[in-house]
């Protein structure tokens, strides 16, 4: 999964959550952090299973409306029960009011890590892309839009796919929606801005087409080993998204029509 952070309870400035009990969970290890919060590996002491606890940053859970939106979205995602959508086990809050979501602890790597190790073969990219599309399609049929589809939000497990091979699961449904609402309200721009769809950059509403655009980005990165739109800083990337076309994929091993599919998504 996400590489463990070097921060530990025994180090100067150690993490106070490590070793603590949060509801029925004992926090064991800090896995990583981002703009939305911090992720830990924990043990569900009722069922003796490993889980991933995502603690949302205080700014995402401070407003009652945002908290209600997150709860509603978490319930909807939990009801999906789809093989290519990361499950939601539980939701709660700490004594000081910090929200967290409990998810399965998946033994795998993010698609971002997988791409950084080298371009994927065309067949593997198609197989994983199809799985991601199925997960997104199930969410869209349930009225859920992700709004932040990118390689870092896909976990690839070594087993469990339809053919017995690798299995892709889309992460952070609902959390991405809450983050999107927060960005709209405050005008802030985080790392997610590098993956914003054209309508998000223009400040317009998002719908299922935003996720289709994100799927195109993921497919392009798997096949090219780089983002379709690049720039020296976030605003330059945004300009490229709005005004430029990505370079042709130009691979000899691509199935007929795949480049057209990626182009249509984008």
């Amino acid at each position: 999964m996400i590489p463990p952070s070097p921060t530990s309870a025994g180090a100067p400035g150690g993490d106070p959550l490590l070793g603590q009990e949060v509801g029925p969970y004992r926090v064991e290890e800090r896995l990583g952090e981002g703009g939305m919060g911090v992720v830990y590996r924990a043990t569900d002491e009722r069922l003796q299973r490993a889980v991933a606890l995502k603690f949302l940053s205080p700014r995402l859970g401070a407003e009652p409306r945002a908290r209600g939106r997150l709860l509603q979205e978490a319930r909807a995602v939990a009801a999906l029960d789809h093989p290519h959508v990361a499950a939601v086990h539980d939701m709660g809050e700490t004594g000081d009011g910090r929200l967290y979501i409990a998810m399965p602890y998946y033994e795998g790597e993010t698609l971002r890590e997988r791409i950084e190790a080298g371009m994927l073969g065309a067949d593997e990219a198609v197989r994983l892309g199809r799985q991601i599309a199925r997960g997104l399609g199930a969410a869209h049929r349930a009225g859920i839009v992700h709004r932040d589809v990118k390689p870092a939000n896909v976990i690839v497990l070594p087993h469990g796919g339809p053919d017995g091979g690798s299995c892709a699961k889309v992460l952070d449904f609902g959390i991405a929606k809450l983050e999107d609402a927060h960005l709209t309200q405050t005008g802030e721009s985080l790392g997610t801005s590098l993956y914003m769809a054209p309508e998000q950059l223009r400040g317009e509403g998002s719908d299922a087409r935003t996720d289709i655009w994100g799927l195109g980005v993921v497919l392009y990165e798997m096949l090219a080993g780089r983002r379709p739109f690049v720039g020296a800083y976030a605003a330059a990337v945004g300009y490229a998204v709005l005004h430029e076309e990505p370079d042709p994929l130009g691979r000899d091993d691509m199935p007929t029509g795949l480049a057209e599919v990626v182009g249509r998504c984008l």
Side-chain angles (χ1 to χ4, degrees):
M1 252 186 100
I2 305 167
S5 165
T7 304
S8 66
D15 193 319
L17 274 175
L18 291 177
Q20 300 301 309
E21 292 187 359
V22 178
Y25 308 104
R26 177 171 290 277
V27 180
E28 306 284 358
E29 178 186 8
R30 181 173 176 144
L31 298 174
E33 63 181 305
M36 296 184 223
V38 186
V39 183
Y40 296 85
R41 179 179 59 81
T43 298
D44 183 339
E45 299 192 324
R46 301 163 300 181
L47 301 176
Q48 289 301 302
R49 65 179 174 182
V51 300
L53 291 186
K54 174 162 283 190
F55 288 83
L56 301 187
S57 62
R59 65 188 175 81
L60 291 180
E63 303 170 7
R65 186 170 61 130
R67 295 168 70 92
R69 181 182 292 120
L70 180 64
L71 177 59
Q72 179 182 18
E73 198 80 359
R75 286 171 175 165
V77 173
L80 274 181
D81 191 24
H82 192 275
H84 300 301
V85 173
V88 173
H89 286 328
D90 192 12
M91 182 175 174
E93 63 180 282
T94 61
D96 59 358
R98 190 172 179 186
L99 292 172
Y100 66 85
I101 292 177
M103 303 169 288
Y105 176 73
Y106 294 115
E107 292 283 358
E109 60 182 347
T110 66
L111 188 55
R112 162 57 49 212
E113 293 165 331
R114 176 68 184 81
I115 292 170
E116 287 175 349
M119 288 189 305
L120 279 66
D123 289 345
E124 183 182 9
V126 169
R127 184 172 64 253
L128 294 176
R130 183 180 291 120
Q131 295 175 19
I132 295 166
R134 287 172 176 162
L136 292 173
H140 295 165
R141 287 190 293 274
I144 304 169
V145 180
H146 191 289
R147 292 173 169 81
D148 192 22
V149 178
K150 59 186 178 183
N153 279 338
V154 177
I155 188 92
V156 180
L157 312 184
H159 307 291
D163 56 358
S166 54
C167 177
K169 290 181 179 285
V170 185
L171 305 169
D172 284 355
F173 277 95
I175 303 174
K177 182 174 183 177
L178 186 64
E179 177 71 356
D180 185 73
H182 181 79
L183 287 170
T184 301
Q185 292 166 12
T186 67
E188 294 182 14
S189 180
L190 304 174
T192 287
S193 64
L194 296 177
Y195 287 91
M196 283 184 175
E199 60 272 22
Q200 291 173 306
L201 289 166
R202 291 192 293 261
E204 301 169 356
S206 300
D207 58 24
R209 291 170 293 184
T210 304
D211 289 350
I212 294 173
W213 190 88
L215 176 61
V217 171
V218 170
L219 286 168
Y220 189 100
E221 284 207 48
M222 286 194 289
L223 293 163
R226 64 183 187 279
R227 294 194 309 271
F229 303 97
V230 296
Y233 46 91
V237 175
Y239 180 89
V241 169
L242 292 172
H243 300 289
E244 298 176 5
E245 294 292 330
D247 292 335
L249 286 167
R251 285 182 54 158
D252 296 332
D253 63 340
M254 287 203 303
T256 302
L258 179 56
E260 287 79 8
V261 169
V262 175
R264 187 170 182 181
C265 287
L266 293 174

